[in-house]
Amino acid sequence: GNSVTQMEGPVTLSEEAFLTINCTYTATGYPSLFWYVQYPGEGLQLLLKATKADDKGSNKGFEATYRKETTSFHLEKGSVQVSDSAVYFCALRSLMANQAGTALIFGKGTTLSVSS
Amino acid sequence: DGGITQSPKYLFRKEGQNVTLSCEQNLNHDAMYWYRQDPGQGLRLIYYSQIVNDFQKGDIAEGYSVSREKKESFPLTVTSAQKNPTAFYLCASRTGEYSNQPQHFGDGTRLSIL
């Protein structure tokens, strides 16, 4: 079945460091891919998305490129801030087994902690 | 502002009791979803609904029930059959099935056992 694998955290960085959070997926076809961010005690917010191969999603200094050949969608940011501390989820949109619509399949999340 | 409202923010359940979590959206979205979040396990799909008066089981539907009588509302009932209900519950919605729009999430309800 379809699945998403993220690097395990926590990831601990100093302010202004470079960030990479790896995400790989297994899926049939060409699913849309997403990164969501969750701040403590809150729901998930969409960070960026890509809907086809070689698309680059970007937002708030974060970027991720849909790589079909390596089935990857790694999240990067050139210079992290303390306010980026959160849990990051990689997800893909998958057709449900009963064929009655689609839903998101999530990775287990990666906790990022940035210190000043 | 348009968005998804989940209530209550915190909920406590006694043994053998059913509890209902509310999810309301004013985004005019067709599809709505319920996810359960446990530490270290990401989010798992409980139920989803593509249109009013229709819903489908997700990966972990046992012990839960839903209804979709109105487009804007998708309440989740955690029944006494759910033996391990302590978790963070997230509701989401999105526009029609054939769009590429992402899901929008509410702020969640944290359910604990008394």
Side-chain angles (χ1 to χ4, degrees), chain B residues 68-85:
Chain B
R68 187 87 187 276
E69 297 176 1
K70 299 185 296 183
K71 186 175 185 177
E72 59 270 24
S73 179
F74 192 41
L76 173 74
T77 296
V78 184
T79 74
S80 57
Q82 173 50 247
K83 298 305 180 188
N84 183 24

Side-chain angles (χ1 to χ4, degrees), chain B residues 4-114:
Chain B
I4 302 174
T5 301
Q6 289 188 242
S7 61
K9 191 170 178 66
Y10 300 96
L11 186 59
F12 298 91
R13 193 190 91 169
K14 296 179 181 179
E15 293 288 341
Q17 184 182 41
N18 293 352
V19 291
T20 297
L21 285 62
S22 170
C23 178
E24 304 278 331
Q25 54 98 358
N26 61 3
L27 300 165
N28 200 33
H29 285 173
D30 295 308
M32 297 187 74
Y33 307 81
W34 274 105
Y35 292 89
R36 171 179 170 141
Q37 185 178 16
D38 295 282
Q41 293 196 45
L43 279 73
R44 294 179 289 168
L45 182 67
I46 304 173
Y47 268 98
Y48 65 106
S49 167
Q50 300 293 338
I51 56 172
V52 176
N53 291 323
D54 184 62
F55 49 83
Q56 305 292 333
K57 292 181 179 180
D59 298 320
I60 55 166
E62 185 174 352
Y64 300 97
S65 66
V66 293
S67 62
R68 187 87 187 276
E69 297 176 1
K70 299 185 296 183
K71 186 175 185 177
E72 59 270 24
S73 179
F74 192 41
L76 173 74
T77 296
V78 184
T79 74
S80 57
Q82 173 50 247
K83 298 305 180 188
N84 183 24
T86 298
F88 191 49
Y89 291 86
L90 287 161
C91 179
S93 70
R94 64 184 288 261
T95 55
E97 183 56 37
Y98 300 103
S99 79
N100 265 326
Q101 294 305 307
Q103 290 183 11
H104 296 260
F105 283 82
D107 284 338
T109 293
R110 188 166 298 280
L111 175 62
S112 303
I113 296 299
L114 282 177

